Amino acid sequence: FFSDDECQWKGPFYFIQGADPQFGLMKAWTCGDTKNGDDEWGEEIKLAEQAVQAINKLNPKPKFFVLCGDLVHGMPGTQWRKNQEQDLKNVLKNTDQDIPLVFVSGNHDLGNAPTRETIDDYCKNWGDDYFSFWVGGVFFLVLNSQLFFDSSQCPELKQAQDVWLDEQLAGAAKQKCKHIIVFQHIPLFLRKPDEDHDYFNLDKSVREEIMEKFHKAGIKAVFAGHYHRNAGGSYKGLEMVVSSAIGCQLGEDTHGLRVVVVTEEKVVHRYYSLNELSSQGIEKELLDVLAEQK
């Protein structure tokens, strides 16, 4: 949905990253039943509406709005999932038509161990589970991180994404892009590249292979969600940015969105609470093309 001339650098721009609207988690978390307690999501509808309204008011407009996974809480085949998806679509339909939406698949969207069926179902609803696009001389990759997490039910799909990714990175190297930026749901790591593996990051051996591949390809940053808290770190110049949720917070952060400004030299970003972004918009320093990172 971005035109061919987007391969050329045309000056600084920005986009908005959100993660985990996850309709249904707040009730499920409160009642301590994360498997079946997701039968209400009025709170998340309000938060997603607030996010869309805040984005629509921004001037200049962001180039796109990317949602880094866990669109809804209901896992594939669960009772409330279809209603949650429909309600999220109804909210997102109000996004300004000049602001394209980019969807990234999360573990709740595909299941913790995805199958060909759950991935097909996601693709019918939200678009491809992995793809690439150009904006103003910058190359963006959207990945299906569930295939890195557990591809036991569909090894051939993981292999297909791996082959595709290598081809994309080889192509990007020839194109002389300004930056390469990756979006995925599960972070490579939360704070340190060698931290232990748990639910919120990728297995160490998988992580090491991907980090090295990304580093060699010159990827500038990876943006993810999944943690419902802000976090991040870096590996040999590759920045790992973990953004907290639009929906349920599992830590001390506020419901919010990340504003990411791309200049010729660097990628700078700041997380805003929804209230802050709604009432004040983007601060002057960021609008001054973020001459320096705070």
Side-chain angles (χ1 to χ4, degrees):
F1 51 86
F2 294 103
S3 61
D4 290 341
D5 66 343
E6 289 295 345
C7 297
Q8 307 307 313
W9 176 254
K10 304 191 188 72
F13 63 86
Y14 81 100
F15 62 86
I16 302 289
Q17 181 217 7
D20 303 88
Q22 203 154 342
F23 283 22
L25 176 58
M26 290 172 89
K27 162 90 191 300
W29 188 256
T30 309
C31 71
D33 181 1
T34 52
K35 291 247 189 314
N36 315 298
D38 60 333
D39 58 344
E40 289 173 24
W41 49 91
E43 202 58 38
E44 285 97 339
I45 289 176
K46 284 193 204 122
L47 291 161
E49 285 173 344
Q50 191 183 358
V52 167
Q53 286 157 6
I55 291 168
N56 286 348
K57 281 201 318 210
L58 294 173
N59 186 19
K61 288 185 195 310
K63 286 286 187 186
F64 59 89
F65 172 27
V66 57
L67 270 170
C68 281
D70 281 1
L71 305 173
V72 299
H73 182 68
M75 287 277 189
T78 54
Q79 187 176 1
W80 305 107
R81 178 181 172 99
K82 287 273 181 285
N83 302 58
Q84 291 168 356
E85 288 188 322
Q86 193 50 56
D87 284 353
L88 178 58
K89 286 178 183 177
N90 291 342
V91 172
L92 293 174
K93 276 179 193 147
N94 297 316
T95 311
D96 187 308
Q97 290 184 328
D98 296 332
I99 305 171
L101 290 165
V102 177
F103 296 107
V104 182
S105 60
N107 57 305
H108 282 262
D109 307 310
L110 303 174
N112 286 322
T115 64
R116 187 175 279 280
E117 289 70 36
T118 64
I119 291 175
D120 284 349
D121 182 63
Y122 170 86
C123 293
K124 281 193 197 86
N125 266 299
W126 303 103
D128 292 340
D129 59 322
Y130 58 89
F131 57 95
S132 63
F133 60 94
W134 287 86
V135 174
V138 177
F139 189 53
F140 291 93
L141 290 160
V142 170
L143 299 180
N144 176 346
S145 57
Q146 234 31 56
L147 295 174
F148 300 140
F149 190 80
D150 182 355
S151 61
S152 58
Q153 307 299 305
C154 54
E156 74 288 353
L157 296 182
K158 176 190 187 292
Q159 197 185 352
Q161 177 174 253
D162 289 345
V163 169
W164 173 87
L165 178 56
D166 288 343
E167 286 168 355
Q168 294 289 311
L169 293 175
K174 293 195 186 78
Q175 284 275 15
K176 307 227 183 333
C177 50
K178 282 288 171 207
H179 307 292
I180 307 174
I181 293 173
V182 171
F183 299 120
Q184 59 190 53
H185 178 62
I186 301 181
L188 297 168
F189 57 89
L190 298 172
R191 309 210 182 268
K192 297 196 181 88
D194 61 350
E195 70 198 17
D196 289 340
H197 166 54
D198 68 18
Y199 174 79
F200 287 112
N201 60 19
L202 291 178
D203 183 76
K204 266 185 162 173
S205 60
V206 176
R207 180 196 317 168
E208 279 160 13
E209 190 185 329
I210 298 170
M211 289 190 308
E212 203 42 41
K213 178 181 288 192
F214 285 3
H215 163 65
K216 286 202 173 91
I219 290 172
K220 203 50 148 245
V222 177
F223 288 89
H226 188 52
Y227 191 43
H228 296 253
R229 286 158 280 221
N230 287 308
S234 64
Y235 170 81
K236 297 185 182 176
L238 166 73
E239 192 183 5
M240 181 67 241
V241 185
V242 184
S243 293
S244 196
I246 293 170
C248 189
Q249 300 300 312
L250 301 182
E252 302 300 307
D253 294 296
T254 45
H255 308 281
L257 294 165
R258 193 172 291 277
V259 173
V260 186
V261 177
V262 183
T263 72
E264 198 158 6
E265 299 302 317
K266 55 191 179 177
V267 177
V268 281
H269 50 85
R270 187 181 154 209
Y271 186 84
Y272 287 84
S273 75
L274 294 180
N275 291 342
E276 205 182 351
L277 200 59
S278 306
S279 57
Q280 295 155 28
I282 301 173
E283 72 207 271
K284 185 175 184 307
E285 289 97 316
L286 275 190
L287 290 173
D288 293 343
V289 195
L290 295 172
E292 56 181 12
Q293 194 171 355
K294 281 280 168 278

